[in-house]
Amino acid sequence: MKFIHPSKSRLARFFVGAFLCLMLFVSSTVPAIAAGSSHQSSPTKGEAKLDQTLEKSQEVLKSPPMSLGEVEDRSNKGLNEVQEDADANKMKRPENTNRSTTVQEKIENALERVTGDK
């Protein structure tokens, strides 16, 4: 049996290491590229202002702790016990986004494409 010469071994380790570094770099940049292509945003628009949410949160922070009944009442009114329904119309949800598909719908579509059933 012939053994690999030490210089060829070093060269092979170098190429394996370089390849692994390249794969780490590519795998860390692909999600950023994929996220950028599916959602086009306007750079002048910025984040949605959630002023009512901020006000409600500050009120809760200044007030004493709520009892269980108060928490249940407030959480039944909206999104949660702090925000209630403040700025609910500005938040992204499946009900208020167009062309949104759930994970379940994406899986069903992929299975339909694979199996050919509709």
Side-chain angles (χ1 to χ4, degrees), residues 45-75:
K45 206 171 193 182
E47 294 180 349
K49 300 282 187 219
L50 302 176
D51 297 326
Q52 290 177 346
T53 302
L54 180 64
E55 290 172 15
K56 294 259 186 184
S57 300
Q58 288 176 347
E59 287 174 14
V60 170
L61 286 173
K62 292 177 184 176
S63 65
M66 294 184 280
S67 68
L68 180 60
E70 289 175 319
V71 171
E72 288 175 349
D73 290 341
R74 289 180 65 119
S75 63

Side-chain angles (χ1 to χ4, degrees), residues 7-43:
S7 64
K8 290 181 181 178
S9 173
R10 282 190 215 129
L11 187 62
R13 278 189 277 163
F14 171 77
F15 282 121
V16 168
F19 178 74
L20 290 175
C21 288
L22 178 67
M23 293 309 296
L24 280 171
F25 175 75
V26 169
S27 66
S28 67
T29 57
V30 168
I33 294 169
S37 64
S38 64
H39 176 67
Q40 299 296 325
S41 64
S42 172

